Amino acid sequence: RPCCSSCASCSTRRSSTSVSHSEGAMSGQVIATLDTGTLAFHDAQLDYYGKRAAAACGAPVQPDDSKGLPEGDYTIYIWDITDGQQKLTGQLKGHEGPVWKVSWAHPKFGSLLASCGYDMKVIIWKEVGNQWQRAFVDSSHSASVNDVEFCPWEHGCRVACASSDGTVSVLTYIPTEARWNRSVFQAHSCGAQSVSWAPAMGQQRDHAPAVRLATGGCDNSVCIWKCDGEIWSQESPALLPAHTDWVRKVAWRPDGTSTVASGSWDKTVVVWKQEMEGQPWRQVAKITVAGRVEGLAWSVTGSLLGVSFDDGETILYKETDDGRFEEVGKCGEQGYTETVKPPGGSPAAFNVAGAPPPAAAAFGAPQEQQQANAELAAQQQSVLESFGMM
């Protein structure tokens, strides 16, 4: 998983989890590597302060193919990683199948963690007196729950969940009644894979910030949803088709702009932008990558986009001044590697059509460029002669 809540990159593969940091022009560095033994982890997230890491466990790295469901303890592990230490502080047991995702709530609501898994459950965990307990369990979905994410604190204590049954559920804690309320809507006919909350920006003095969600699914589509009076509806006009395979991850840029990135098994990442709420979304960049995309995340400031793949590698991209995205580094089990720019140029960058940048295209047509230069020189000479300057 790339780029967690404190501008970190978590790469989860095989039996280790590495956490790296990259900011601005600084070189990235690995700040922690967590040994997970023989178990595979599907997700890892840092808490709000970047002091604790929670990892979702699935199954052994080499499962027994003779069994229907790979054996595993399906535990969520929590480590304290402050001051360079790697201290295991919690083991959360409650799922009956692989755990796909975890998400920390804002500390305003205490130590809360949400998890989802193959067992069709969503579990809200709460830390009380250094001990973790199940605060709420939702078993309403009829298929695997593939993603879970807490919303910005301005919207209250809510968590969105995407399921293979095609629906997205939103669990909202009502403090006056000390209970969790559940709302659900049909999102993707073939199954929902990912959810991402819009940052709470642009609110008016007398109005609460808009509550919006981005989702991606097995129907190869990306959808934007808005909540009005606890009723969810899809924004119109819908985003145009851009992917040819499952959309495994969507990520809303946290910089105050209406910008969403979507990553697909078709080996592309598309960046969408909306100038104003209610206007059409447009595709502003398309990045072609080497593998099937499994994870996406923006850094805290929105300056970096992390893209992770099924082989455990994460690539970091940075937007250039002209709106293209160029590779700036890679993170994997071996650590962080900064991408070296070629002499006289930049690393591979991609524009709206996924084509090479304009400068590269110009070098690909030297004869046309030479002809244009010759015509310009002739025009300049004609102007000078008319003024008697030649």
Side-chain angles (χ1 to χ4, degrees), residues 230-306:
E230 299 304 317
I231 303 298
W232 289 90
S233 60
Q234 185 176 356
E235 288 194 3
S236 181
L239 278 68
L240 296 176
H243 292 291
T244 58
D245 207 336
W246 289 11
V247 177
R248 282 286 287 154
K249 187 63 181 175
V250 290
W252 209 298
R253 196 173 193 172
D255 61 353
T257 64
S258 289
T259 304
V260 173
S262 58
S264 170
W265 276 358
D266 65 5
K267 302 181 181 180
T268 66
V269 174
V270 175
V271 180
W272 308 85
K273 188 175 181 64
Q274 183 187 48
E275 300 302 334
M276 292 181 61
E277 187 176 343
Q279 294 186 353
W281 287 80
R282 59 187 179 90
Q283 179 181 321
V284 296
K286 190 169 188 176
I287 308 171
T288 302
V289 294
R292 300 198 305 182
V293 178
E294 288 289 346
L296 286 179
W298 297 92
S299 61
V300 173
T301 61
S303 60
L304 294 175
L305 175 63

Side-chain angles (χ1 to χ4, degrees), residues 74 76 78 91-95 102 111-116 122-127 132-136 150:
Y74 312 128
I76 300 167
I78 298 178
Q91 298 183 54
L92 284 54
K93 298 179 182 292
H95 284 284
V102 290
S111 293
L112 290 181
L113 184 74
S115 62
C116 64
V122 177
I123 302 179
I124 309 296
W125 307 85
K126 184 176 182 179
E127 186 181 29
W132 287 90
Q133 61 186 30
R134 280 175 281 186
F136 181 74
F150 274 103

Side-chain angles (χ1 to χ4, degrees), residues 84 98 115 121 123 174 201 224 248 253 309 311 313 344 371:
S115 62
K121 292 181 181 178
I123 302 179
I174 304 176
M201 301 287 184
I224 307 296
R248 282 286 287 154
R253 196 173 193 172
F309 308 96
D311 62 357
E313 185 177 62
Q371 182 179 356

Side-chain angles (χ1 to χ4, degrees), residues 139-379:
S139 303
S140 303
H141 284 287
S142 59
S144 171
V145 183
N146 305 313
D147 197 10
V148 63
E149 183 177 294
F150 274 103
C151 70
W153 67 267
E154 293 90 341
H155 301 322
C157 188
R158 303 176 185 237
V159 60
C161 321
S163 173
S164 291
D165 62 15
T167 66
V168 169
S169 62
V170 178
L171 306 175
T172 304
Y173 184 71
I174 304 176
T176 57
E177 301 178 14
R179 68 178 181 88
W180 289 85
N181 180 66
R182 182 180 190 267
S183 60
V184 62
F185 58 92
Q186 184 69 36
H188 299 271
S189 59
C190 299
Q193 287 287 317
S194 178
V195 292
S196 180
W197 292 91
M201 301 287 184
Q203 59 266 39
Q204 303 296 325
R205 177 179 300 178
D206 299 327
H207 297 84
V211 182
R212 305 167 78 191
L213 266 176
T215 63
C218 303
D219 55 2
N220 311 339
S221 70
V222 179
C223 299
I224 307 296
W225 308 85
K226 185 176 180 178
C227 182
D228 186 6
E230 299 304 317
I231 303 298
W232 289 90
S233 60
Q234 185 176 356
E235 288 194 3
S236 181
L239 278 68
L240 296 176
H243 292 291
T244 58
D245 207 336
W246 289 11
V247 177
R248 282 286 287 154
K249 187 63 181 175
V250 290
W252 209 298
R253 196 173 193 172
D255 61 353
T257 64
S258 289
T259 304
V260 173
S262 58
S264 170
W265 276 358
D266 65 5
K267 302 181 181 180
T268 66
V269 174
V270 175
V271 180
W272 308 85
K273 188 175 181 64
Q274 183 187 48
E275 300 302 334
M276 292 181 61
E277 187 176 343
Q279 294 186 353
W281 287 80
R282 59 187 179 90
Q283 179 181 321
V284 296
K286 190 169 188 176
I287 308 171
T288 302
V289 294
R292 300 198 305 182
V293 178
E294 288 289 346
L296 286 179
W298 297 92
S299 61
V300 173
T301 61
S303 60
L304 294 175
L305 175 63
V307 182
S308 63
F309 308 96
D310 52 6
D311 62 357
E313 185 177 62
T314 297
I315 298 181
L316 300 183
Y317 292 91
K318 186 174 183 178
E319 186 176 12
T320 62
D321 293 337
D322 56 0
R324 295 176 294 115
F325 283 80
E326 65 179 19
E327 181 183 320
V328 295
K330 295 181 179 180
C331 180
E333 290 187 19
Q334 304 305 318
Y336 179 83
T337 304
E338 190 171 352
T339 300
V340 179
K341 294 184 178 181
S346 300
F350 302 88
N351 59 16
V352 67
F363 285 112
Q367 293 182 352
E368 290 81 353
Q369 186 66 42
Q370 292 176 4
Q371 182 179 356
N373 291 339
E375 293 177 354
L376 179 60
Q379 292 175 1

